[in-house]
Amino acid sequence: MNTFNNDKAFVFIVGSPRSGTTILGNILDCHQKVSQWFEPYFVWDHYFRHYPHDERNEKEMTPRIKHQIYSAFLKFKKTTGSKIIVDKSPRNSPKIPFILEIFPHARFIHVLRDGRDATLSIHKEWNRIKRIVHTPNQKFAYLKDLPGIKNWLQKQPFFSDKMKSLWFETHYNFIDNSKYLNRLRWKGNIGWGPRFKHWEEIFNQCSLLQFNAHQWLNCVENVKKNWAEIPNGNKIEIKYEDLLRKKSKIKEIIGFLGVKTDDRFLHSIPELKRDNYNKWQKELLREQAHSLVHILTPLLIELGYETNYEWPLRISSCQR
């Protein structure tokens, strides 16, 4: 186990949900020497299904947990035959010390996105999940949601992982969706994304949009807090907006992984929406923006996305 840990085969993309982690994972997965393992929560949280939040530290590691997670990643690598395995999981953002206990030489890519755009996108996804999961009588509408179930399971390339993922989500409570992990994670509510410490207190005190802003804030701050623990040379930080606008960023990341960029790879990557930023200026209401100012602005300024607290005034007056 120690010998295998000395290489850099495992790469973890961290950052807030809806910050470009998915598109970057999909891009890297196009490389013939790279395979993405799409959010294997059933591996990371196998022993933490009933925990109240998603933050983990090195003190929670045990030999049994380390063996379980390490063995699963090693099996996935051997089965794919890939040189590099990429795990794109926003819920890993508050787990960096925990991950380093298992993979001390792992590499990390932190994807940053303007917190206003990320919050808006998290909010949309949260509401989409609510529409899918919610049924008044708590009974799962299989025929209605079959396409969603199929799409979710297809993200795991191997049958055994599909079954582990399904079992982890339902624990075979196929009929009563009030016992599904989604509701278990959110104390009976329907939720989505990472849970931070004391999330329930904030959830009960603010609007859903404000809570989504706290999710962005917590993910970024957790990564920043633990960034120094990652060895130099094993980490890189990029902005989503740069990934969209600068093709050189993809080559930079591929170089960071230690594999070569070739024409086959460059022609296979998905098309990027080059203008997919500053959407908050068109889609946020000015009232909503004002409700987010004190949550988002300090970190927006620190990251270089903003210079002051007056940004809601840039929203069109017709969106008041």
Side-chain angles (χ1 to χ4, degrees):
M1 182 178 287
N2 290 333
T3 300
F4 195 77
N5 270 341
N6 284 333
D7 71 19
K8 299 179 179 180
F10 300 109
V11 177
F12 298 94
I13 302 175
V14 294
S16 162
R18 314 304 295 177
S19 288
T21 57
T22 296
I23 188 63
L24 179 57
N26 291 342
I27 288 172
L28 299 181
D29 193 49
C30 292
H31 198 285
Q32 60 182 346
K33 294 187 177 181
V34 179
S35 288
Q36 177 185 199
W37 198 358
F38 189 89
E39 302 186 1
Y41 299 136
F42 55 95
V43 173
W44 287 109
D45 293 337
H46 179 79
Y47 290 105
F48 300 98
R49 193 172 188 270
H50 295 274
Y51 272 48
H53 56 77
D54 296 318
E55 295 187 26
R56 302 284 176 271
N57 59 56
E58 64 277 13
K59 295 179 182 179
E60 295 175 281
M61 184 62 66
T62 67
R64 183 179 184 182
I65 294 172
K66 184 173 184 178
H67 176 75
Q68 173 255 326
I69 296 174
Y70 176 85
S71 297
F73 272 82
L74 180 57
K75 179 181 178 182
F76 189 86
K77 183 178 187 298
K78 288 183 174 179
T79 304
T80 60
S82 297
K83 178 181 178 180
I84 304 292
I85 300 299
V86 172
D87 175 357
K88 187 286 301 183
S89 302
R91 272 159 46 186
N92 281 347
S93 297
K95 292 186 176 75
I96 289 177
F98 186 83
I99 295 172
L100 288 172
E101 279 294 300
I102 308 169
F103 306 106
H105 299 282
R107 285 174 287 184
F108 290 81
I109 305 172
H110 183 202
V111 186
L112 289 163
R113 186 184 187 186
D114 187 321
R116 295 161 291 195
D117 281 337
T119 296
L120 183 63
S121 190
I122 292 170
H123 191 67
K124 290 178 182 178
E125 185 65 14
W126 188 294
N127 285 319
R128 187 186 74 85
I129 295 297
K130 287 176 69 174
R131 289 193 296 269
I132 292 174
V133 177
H134 176 73
T135 52
N137 60 4
Q138 307 286 13
K139 304 299 181 182
F140 197 83
Y142 284 99
L143 293 179
K144 176 184 175 183
D145 295 312
L146 190 59
I149 298 171
K150 183 178 179 181
N151 180 63
W152 169 56
L153 290 176
Q154 282 180 338
K155 292 177 180 178
Q156 299 302 327
F158 305 117
F159 179 79
S160 61
D161 289 337
K162 294 179 192 294
M163 293 299 98
K164 289 175 183 177
S165 177
L166 186 62
W167 177 85
F168 180 71
E169 173 66 30
T170 65
H171 267 217
Y172 293 120
N173 291 304
F174 294 114
I175 303 301
D176 186 355
N177 73 8
S178 68
K179 298 179 181 178
Y180 284 10
L181 182 61
N182 184 285
R183 292 182 183 273
L184 178 65
R185 281 174 50 79
W186 297 97
K187 300 293 183 70
N189 296 299
I190 299 168
W192 181 79
R195 300 166 305 160
F196 45 87
K197 287 182 179 178
H198 312 301
W199 68 266
E200 195 171 8
E201 180 180 338
I202 295 178
F203 184 81
N204 292 328
Q205 291 178 352
C206 65
S207 70
L208 178 57
L209 184 66
Q210 289 174 316
F211 181 78
N212 300 148
H214 279 286
Q215 288 181 291
W216 172 80
L217 182 71
N218 180 267
C219 282
V220 176
E221 287 188 335
N222 260 295
V223 174
K224 285 171 57 64
K225 178 178 67 176
N226 295 300
W227 199 240
E229 301 301 316
I230 304 170
N232 291 330
N234 285 8
K235 56 190 176 184
I236 185 173
E237 190 171 73
I238 63 167
K239 287 187 174 180
Y240 171 68
E241 297 81 7
D242 289 339
L243 183 66
L244 296 181
R245 295 176 295 194
K246 302 176 182 179
K247 293 183 179 180
S248 60
K249 282 295 176 182
I250 296 177
K251 293 182 178 181
E252 180 181 348
I253 295 167
I254 290 296
F256 170 71
L257 298 185
V259 293
K260 294 182 179 180
T261 304
D262 54 30
D263 290 339
R264 175 182 172 183
F265 165 69
L266 292 175
H267 285 101
S268 64
I269 62 177
E271 186 67 26
L272 300 179
K273 297 179 181 179
R274 302 293 178 184
D275 61 346
N276 193 33
Y277 58 93
N278 287 339
K279 299 179 73 172
W280 63 271
Q281 294 187 21
K282 297 179 180 179
E283 299 185 26
L284 272 183
L285 300 177
R286 189 175 291 183
E287 179 182 347
Q288 291 175 317
H290 280 297
S291 76
L292 301 178
V293 164
H294 292 289
I295 301 171
L296 298 178
T297 306
L299 188 53
L300 289 175
I301 293 175
E302 182 181 340
L303 297 175
Y305 284 107
E306 195 51 74
T307 59
N308 57 58
Y309 283 73
E310 304 300 321
W311 55 267
L313 299 178
R314 301 206 299 276
I315 293 176
S316 171
S317 58
C318 65
Q319 294 177 227
R320 290 180 184 176

